[in-house]
Amino acid sequence: MAETKKKKIKVLVTKVGLDGHDRGVKVVASLLKEAGMEVIYLGMFQTPGGIVKAAIDEDVDVIGVSYLSGEHLVFTPKIVAEMKKNLLDDVLLVAGGTFPVEDIPTLEEMGIDKVFRAGSLTDTIVQYIQQNLKR
Amino acid sequence: MNKRPDIDQMVNRLFSGDRRATARLITWVEDGMEETREAMRRIYPRTGKAKIIGITGAGGAGKSTLTDHLIRKFREQDKTVGVVLVDPSSPFSGGAFLGDRIRLQNHSQDDGVYIRSMASRGYLGGLSRATYDVIRIIEAMGAEVVIVETLGAGQDEIDVIHIAHTCLLVVTPGMGDDIQAMKAGIMEIATIIVLNKADLEGANACLRHLNTTLSAASFEEGEWVPKVIPTVSVGGKPQDIQGIDELISAIQEHHAHLQKTDAIDQIKSERVEHELGLIFKDELQKLIFKGLKGTGRKKRYIENIVKGKDDPYSVVDEVLKTYIKTKE
Ligand code: B12
Ligand SMILES: Nc1nc2c(ncn2[C@@H]2O[C@H](COP(=O)(O)OP(=O)(O)OP(=O)(O)O)[C@@H](O)[C@H]2O)c(=O)[nH]1
Ligand SMILES: [Mg+2]
């Protein structure tokens, strides 16, 4: 039996607002699981406050939000604000889904660490998370 | 980043009900951090008062949905609730999909509810090895009720009886044959058998079957006789939901029974005995492998066993003799 345990990466993935497209987020969840991570899926119709509270309780390393209904610019600042309010500065925030390329810089300015659009390769997502953990 | 965490501070924050500290301490336990031992030493004396309810049953039987109702009922009584949800780790990747929380969304903003999802990380018995300490941590945080959902049980995932005061076994109609097979083992662990999805076909036959099976079993005078409670825990309208009040009453009745018969003391002793055994096993193994480290003996033992020159029992005997002086 190995004596030095490697810390498991815990990721919370979620939908937010009224967006009912959950295929992509489930695909991402299972990709991350296959890469050895422990993935908590919160489901659809979540609120920024609920997402951040779950992230605190679960002590996750990463929050991943999936956007496919054009609400990315509305919810991102709210999630970031909740994270700031709760001093969650050691949690990586990533997002994916379908939205205009032009919005990516805006999303990153708002506080998302990395955005993955449709067609992103699994390895890219997994590697990014593994190499950019904040703790 | 590599600063050693301040155990004192973390534990004090836990005692004051701080969720961040609670959550981080649980991660320490799950990851087997060195600090865990010292932290648990301080946490233990603050535990043992919460009511612990275990929920087990086959995958998809409705454990999480029922958990959601139980949380709601306990919150109506103004009790603080902790929830531990265990799901299996993939034996191939070591990863896990922890999806129970989806069904507990009604409490996502309630500060009186602490919910933690955990992967089994290869531990058998329906829990994860960390579960035992994690429940203690949640108790120390101040939860008055702790609900533990095991991963979808087959026959052997019954370790929850070593922890829970009250054990719910969730079954569904159409499991007729499975219930038949179950009755020897898993049914005996149940305090309450919840026949969930009682809206589905076959529920009445299943209910009759469960009651017949139970009435055939013999119980000692004063012993708790498992109750069967049919429930419907999903529905389009609130009035579709059925049996939840009866379930809560049965849980309370069992609680009263435990207090009256001092069976609760026995359960608490058994819980401690089980935990003690687990800790001995873990610590002894660590101690011994640490002692063998750098001596080359471990490798030699293994080689000899592989080659058939030695066997593991003799090796363990020999090694143990150098550590422990047994009275013979
Ligand atoms: C399938 C689909 C549906 C299905 C959804 C089924 C389901 N349960 O998911 C149904 C039919 C229900 C549906 C309904 C609607 N849809 Co629709 N739908 C789609 C469609 C065709 C494909 C989405 C999909 O499943 N892709 C496959 C998955 C695997 O890919 P993905 O989600 O992009 O995820 C990948 C990456 O983005 C990334 N990723 C995604 N999330 C995350 C999260 C993290 C953390 C990371 C790291 C990565 C990541 O990784 C994934 C794998 O590579 C898209 C078109 C499109 N181009 O996206 C429209 C689309 C999203 N739908 C659209 C619309 C308008 C609707 C409806 C409003 C239609 C209507 N008028 O009724 C409704 C709204 C429903 C609701 N409540 O939200 C628009 C949205 C426009 C916008 N942005 O405002 C789109 C873009 C179509 C279009 N071009 O108009 N839809
Ligand atoms: N018809 C019917 N469906 C139900 C009932 N209770 C739960 N379900 C459905 O059964 C499915 C599984 O419910 P869960 O609560 O996730 O079951 P679980 O036992 O926690 O499942 P695992 O954690 O995966 O083992 C969901 O789709 C529920 O909506 C019920 O009383 N009647
Ligand atoms: Mg469940």
Side-chain angles (χ1 to χ4, degrees):
Chain A
M1 189 186 265
E3 284 179 42
T4 43
K5 286 193 192 158
K6 210 170 134 255
K7 200 201 162 304
K8 276 263 176 244
I9 300 175
K10 271 190 109 173
V11 187
L12 181 125
V13 293
T14 186
K15 300 290 299 181
V16 61
L18 295 175
D19 181 359
H21 300 87
D22 62 353
R23 253 167 40 186
V25 73
K26 284 180 177 162
V27 169
V28 170
S30 67
L31 294 177
L32 298 180
K33 173 192 169 180
E34 272 152 36
M37 300 182 196
E38 291 181 350
V39 188
I40 297 146
Y41 176 46
L42 264 199
M44 292 188 281
F45 317 125
Q46 302 300 306
T47 60
I51 293 169
V52 171
K53 180 167 172 280
I56 291 172
D57 283 7
E58 300 283 3
D59 195 24
V60 294
D61 306 283
V62 187
I63 298 177
V65 190
S66 170
Y67 292 117
L68 283 96
S69 281
E71 296 170 302
H72 47 290
L73 298 179
V74 179
F75 281 111
T76 300
K78 292 184 180 165
I79 294 171
V80 172
E82 279 293 330
M83 288 175 74
K84 286 226 170 82
K85 194 173 96 193
N86 288 282
L87 308 172
L88 272 195
D89 49 10
D90 58 356
V91 176
L92 193 67
L93 179 62
V94 298
T98 298
F99 34 75
V101 208
E102 308 88 79
D103 287 347
I104 293 180
T106 319
L107 287 171
E108 290 178 346
E109 259 161 52
M110 287 172 165
I112 292 192
D113 292 298
K114 183 80 184 168
V115 176
F116 298 92
R117 287 183 80 247
S120 300
L121 295 173
T122 321
D123 289 356
T124 327
I125 302 176
V126 170
Q127 259 179 29
Y128 176 81
I129 290 177
Q130 284 168 342
Q131 290 167 4
N132 290 278
L133 295 174
K134 294 188 181 175
R135 60 171 146 106
Chain B
M1 223 191 148
N2 288 320
K3 207 173 61 193
R4 270 181 71 86
D6 184 340
I7 297 174
D8 256 331
Q9 197 202 351
M10 286 292 278
V11 172
N12 288 334
R13 281 172 60 198
L14 168 74
F15 292 159
S16 73
D18 180 319
R19 328 177 73 88
R20 289 283 301 275
T22 307
R24 187 56 53 89
L25 279 162
I26 291 176
T27 303
W28 286 7
V29 171
E30 283 201 282
D31 288 344
M33 295 260 298
E34 207 182 306
E35 288 79 7
T36 307
R37 189 201 293 234
E38 185 54 36
M40 287 313 297
R41 224 194 298 256
R42 293 179 209 197
I43 290 167
Y44 245 80
R46 296 276 200 128
T47 67
K49 286 187 224 55
K51 202 193 268 194
I52 303 174
I53 299 172
I55 304 196
T56 188
K63 299 180 290 296
S64 303
T65 316
L66 282 160
T67 300
D68 187 57
H69 287 294
L70 294 185
I71 300 173
R72 178 170 53 80
K73 284 289 170 186
F74 286 119
R75 291 302 292 146
E76 280 170 17
Q77 300 171 10
D78 229 14
K79 292 210 161 53
T80 48
V81 182
V83 184
V84 180
L85 307 159
V86 187
D87 273 315
S89 295
S90 155
F92 306 106
S93 70
F97 181 79
L98 311 174
D100 293 318
R101 212 178 163 117
I102 303 175
R103 313 240 179 258
L104 308 183
Q105 301 196 358
N106 294 325
H107 315 285
S108 65
Q109 307 270 27
D110 182 351
D111 282 335
V113 183
Y114 178 86
I115 303 171
R116 181 72 174 223
S117 315
M118 293 203 293
S120 63
R121 299 199 182 175
Y123 188 76
L124 303 174
L127 304 173
S128 72
R129 173 63 186 92
T131 312
Y132 301 87
D133 284 345
V134 169
I135 293 170
R136 298 274 176 189
I137 292 173
I138 293 176
E139 286 183 78
M141 177 203 197
E144 293 160 287
V145 179
V146 181
I147 303 174
V148 184
E149 177 184 332
T150 74
L151 55 86
Q155 301 285 316
D156 303 322
E157 283 91 7
I158 56 171
D159 267 9
V160 71
I161 54 166
H162 298 303
I163 298 182
H165 304 155
T166 303
C167 203
L168 312 187
L169 170 66
V170 186
V171 299
T172 52
M175 283 177 63
D177 290 347
D178 291 341
I179 289 168
Q180 192 79 38
M182 248 181 205
K183 71 183 169 201
I186 204 165
M187 224 156 120
E188 273 155 34
I189 69 160
T191 318
I192 300 164
I193 297 165
V194 185
L195 175 61
N196 191 41
K197 309 199 185 183
D199 54 318
L200 299 186
E201 210 186 293
N204 283 334
C206 192
L207 189 60
R208 272 199 305 278
H209 183 82
L210 285 168
N211 281 320
T212 317
T213 308
L214 273 179
S215 58
S218 59
F219 295 93
E220 280 168 38
E221 174 92 24
E223 199 184 346
W224 174 263
V225 180
K227 285 185 178 312
V228 183
I229 311 275
T231 57
V232 179
S233 41
V234 294
K237 300 182 265 27
Q239 59 267 35
D240 292 342
I241 310 291
Q242 279 169 29
I244 305 299
D245 288 333
E246 289 78 1
L247 178 57
I248 286 282
S249 303
I251 291 171
Q252 262 147 7
E253 205 179 306
H254 181 246
H255 187 68
H257 168 87
L258 291 181
Q259 305 298 331
K260 199 173 68 211
T261 58
D262 68 298
I264 187 80
D265 298 329
Q266 199 191 331
I267 291 177
K268 285 182 179 173
S269 306
E270 280 168 13
R271 177 183 177 197
V272 170
E273 184 183 350
H274 190 76
E275 288 177 324
L276 206 55
L278 288 172
I279 297 169
F280 262 123
K281 218 160 77 185
D282 289 352
E283 294 297 312
L284 217 58
Q285 181 180 344
K286 262 192 251 167
L287 191 76
I288 286 166
F289 282 171
K290 206 166 121 194
L292 291 175
K293 213 171 164 179
T295 64
R297 279 168 67 196
K298 185 170 156 193
K299 194 169 165 234
R300 208 162 56 239
Y301 285 138
I302 294 172
E303 274 170 14
N304 285 344
I305 296 170
V306 172
K307 286 187 196 137
K309 287 194 212 156
D310 212 340
D311 70 277
Y313 291 93
S314 311
V315 166
V316 169
D317 271 348
E318 186 188 320
V319 175
L320 279 185
K321 261 185 218 132
T322 65
Y323 277 88
I324 300 162
K325 293 193 175 43
T326 42
K327 279 194 239 144
E328 278 185 73

